[in-house]
Amino acid sequence: MSEPSETAAEQGEASEEQVEAAGGQTGTEPEPPEQDKPRAGSSPRGRHRRPLEDSETTVIIGVEDVLAGASEVPKGPPRRHTHADRPSPWSRRRDRVIAAVIAVVALVTGTIVWAGSESRATISETASPAPALPVTPPAVPAQLSELWQAESDAAPVPIAAGNAVVTANGGELDGRDPLTGQVRWRYARDLRLCTAAEAWSRAVAVYRKGGVNNESACSDVIGLDPSTGHRMAQRTGSAQLGTRLVTDGTYVTAFGPTFLDTWRDDLVETDQYGKVPVLVNPDKQPRVGCTYGSIAAASSRVGVIERCPGDPGDRITVFRAAPKDADQPQVSFSAILPGHDARMVAMSGDYVAVAMPDQRELVLYGADGMQVATYPLDLPASDLAHDPAGGVPATSSTASNVYWFTGSRLMAFSRDTLTPLWTLTSALGPGIVFDHQLVVPIQGGLAVLNEQNGATIRTIGVDRHGYAGPVRLTAAGPVLVEQRGSTLAALR
């Protein structure tokens, strides 16, 4: 019977002893000790094997002796390779050229990206918060003098919020001191402004930029702090060319001839109505082949005059500004009007007022789309001959009334029910509350009126330097601001 094989550990120890014994010797290798010779029936690696039968042939697999044939074993510890022994992978000239080319390409690419980026094409010069304005007087002064003028062709209604007045011209928004007109902050792009307005106590601007299929559109929307010029929000929208903005104080809707786009105060889109530029889910819109005449908004609802193929007359549709399903409008009601060329007048609470030129009537609708009342309209035919500029009627509101400038006259309505109250001839625009009184632009100046009955308290002459067109008003503390076409003027 064969003897038990040695363990691997024992063999390892024997091997180490052999190496130590051989170190520093030359010549013929000594005979290995008897115990280190492989025994029959045992594995060279020390694992147990069954004994060989007589009929079996022993096959010995040669094991290389690492010391065999070595004429001399070097003294001392083995030599270790260092990094200095290996050539650098970047030491060759070709490698250095490749690295240089990569660096140049990265630099050129970065420069091109920066040159074409919005940051490169944007100038944003902000300011510290504007100083407080003087206290407003208890009544409108007997005289007003012009303080300054500036161009503002992109804002149909003057923008004033906080302690600043904002002008919008070309591709630039400027925050100005209301008393001096001095520019305190600037925001400029290499794009043209489509329009700008005041909403959420901010300056909201829409820039012209490529939309779907790189077609021109008003697709870049930004909101700025009017006091400092700091950017409050910025989004990509889908407004159409020629757009104007209408707000109910909570939402802003951009009007277009076939599409309406609504945003909340962080400029996140809450609703799309009409011919959606990028249609993801079909059959969500109630009508897509219609064109739009005019728009109004109130109480988180939007009203629009639609002209659709096959309808016997124009249509008034009212929908929620923020529907339950973001990609499907939530229509409150849609009703066929008794004629064509209808004009949206105003919305307030649950009521909608629509002017019908052919019938020369003002028609009121309730929340359910049913007619509430009709009133005769004594207006020149030219006042209702076309849709309002940009689709947005010239209106304003105070705590008690809603005011509509027809084009030649000012009509006052009760804010609660939109019932007509009184009419002022010779007006140039809707009125606002300034220094605690209603002020209306008229030919040659301003009229201070009694809100309840429209009686004139007094008039104030204003030199508009030959301008006789429509005038829109706003106020910044004790400063009255007039928008005269593309020119903004400050009065005090």
Side-chain angles (χ1 to χ4, degrees):
M1 180 180 294
S2 63
E3 296 179 4
S5 63
E6 297 175 351
T7 65
E10 292 172 344
Q11 291 182 353
E13 292 174 358
S15 298
E16 292 174 358
E17 291 174 358
Q18 292 174 8
V19 173
E20 291 176 357
Q25 296 182 4
T26 61
T28 305
E29 194 66 22
E31 182 74 10
E34 182 68 22
Q35 64 269 21
D36 291 338
K37 295 179 181 180
R39 295 178 176 84
S42 66
S43 168
R45 299 190 179 183
R47 296 178 182 172
H48 292 287
R49 303 292 185 187
R50 66 179 178 84
L52 295 172
E53 300 295 339
D54 294 338
S55 60
E56 294 179 337
T57 302
T58 302
V59 179
I60 299 176
I61 301 174
V63 178
E64 180 184 3
D65 189 341
V66 297
L67 299 178
S71 60
E72 182 178 356
V73 178
K75 295 180 180 181
R79 182 175 182 273
R80 298 179 180 273
H81 289 289
T82 64
H83 291 291
D85 298 324
R86 297 193 303 268
S88 170
W90 299 104
S91 62
R92 292 175 298 181
R93 182 176 182 276
R94 183 187 65 179
D95 298 328
R96 291 195 296 270
V97 170
I98 293 175
V101 170
I102 292 174
V104 171
V105 170
L107 179 62
V108 172
T109 302
T111 302
I112 292 174
V113 170
W114 174 78
S117 67
E118 292 186 1
S119 298
R120 168 67 176 83
T122 299
I123 298 173
S124 180
E125 299 173 356
T126 58
S128 57
L133 293 172
V135 178
T136 58
V140 179
Q143 293 183 338
L144 291 172
S145 301
E146 187 172 292
L147 300 176
W148 53 271
Q149 281 192 5
E151 286 298 300
S152 184
D153 63 358
V157 179
I159 302 171
N163 299 333
V165 173
V166 179
T167 54
N169 193 68
E172 183 171 330
L173 297 169
D174 293 329
R176 298 176 180 269
D177 186 307
L179 296 170
T180 65
Q182 179 183 1
V183 175
R184 302 190 66 255
W185 58 262
R186 294 176 62 217
Y187 181 86
R189 300 280 298 276
D190 63 341
L191 307 172
R192 285 197 63 83
L193 283 161
C194 291
T195 191
E198 186 275 327
W200 312 299
S201 297
R202 302 174 190 170
V204 179
V206 184
Y207 279 90
R208 181 168 180 169
K209 193 176 181 181
V212 179
N213 298 324
N214 205 31
E215 296 178 357
S216 294
C218 298
S219 60
D220 199 81
V221 191
I222 188 168
L224 300 175
D225 182 339
S227 181
T228 65
H230 284 286
R231 183 171 57 186
M232 307 297 289
Q234 185 171 6
R235 303 285 179 182
T236 298
S238 303
Q240 295 178 311
L241 292 179
T243 188
R244 289 290 183 268
L245 305 179
V246 61
T247 181
D248 65 348
T250 305
Y251 299 94
V252 169
T253 298
F255 176 86
T258 60
F259 177 71
L260 309 178
D261 204 7
T262 302
W263 311 301
R264 65 191 189 197
D265 59 356
D266 56 1
L267 297 183
V268 170
E269 192 175 71
T270 60
D271 195 23
Q272 292 182 322
Y273 188 85
K275 189 176 181 181
V276 179
V278 181
L279 187 61
V280 177
N281 298 315
D283 303 324
K284 295 290 186 178
Q285 295 292 330
R287 287 165 297 277
V288 295
C290 308
T291 59
Y292 306 140
S294 50
I295 186 177
S299 304
S300 300
R301 300 188 306 157
V302 179
V304 60
I305 299 295
E306 297 188 70
R307 291 160 187 155
C308 306
D311 284 349
D314 288 351
R315 177 187 294 267
I316 173 67
T317 299
V318 175
F319 59 90
R320 304 297 302 178
K324 296 179 181 178
D325 190 349
D327 65 348
Q328 182 171 4
Q330 186 177 349
V331 176
S332 300
F333 72 85
S334 186
I336 301 296
L337 295 167
H340 296 86
D341 301 322
R343 286 187 60 173
M344 182 69 73
V345 171
M347 293 179 65
S348 183
D350 292 335
Y351 296 94
V352 182
V354 178
M356 302 302 303
D358 294 342
Q359 290 77 14
R360 302 179 69 84
E361 287 182 340
L362 181 77
V363 184
L364 297 186
Y365 291 86
D368 56 0
M370 301 299 293
Q371 283 193 23
V372 175
T374 59
Y375 300 94
L377 278 178
D378 184 16
L379 297 174
S382 59
D383 283 6
L384 302 177
H386 49 77
D387 292 320
V392 181
T395 60
S396 63
S397 62
T398 65
S400 56
N401 293 347
V402 174
Y403 298 99
W404 173 44
F405 176 58
T406 68
S408 67
R409 304 179 185 185
L410 178 69
M411 291 189 66
F413 304 91
S414 166
R415 182 164 183 166
D416 294 334
T417 63
L418 290 182
T419 303
L421 299 177
W422 48 265
T423 300
L424 175 71
T425 59
S426 75
L428 295 180
I432 66 164
V433 171
F434 173 64
D435 292 348
H436 311 285
Q437 293 180 300
L438 178 66
V439 176
V440 176
I442 59 173
Q443 298 173 6
L446 301 165
V448 181
L449 305 179
N450 183 312
E451 280 203 78
Q452 302 305 313
N453 55 25
T456 300
I457 298 174
R458 67 177 179 275
T459 60
I460 304 169
V462 174
D463 182 7
R464 297 193 175 104
H465 312 288
Y467 178 81
V471 175
R472 299 299 300 269
L473 302 178
T474 194
V479 179
L480 181 68
V481 183
E482 289 192 344
Q483 186 75 43
R484 308 167 185 167
S486 63
T487 301
L488 186 142
L491 307 173
R492 187 183 181 197

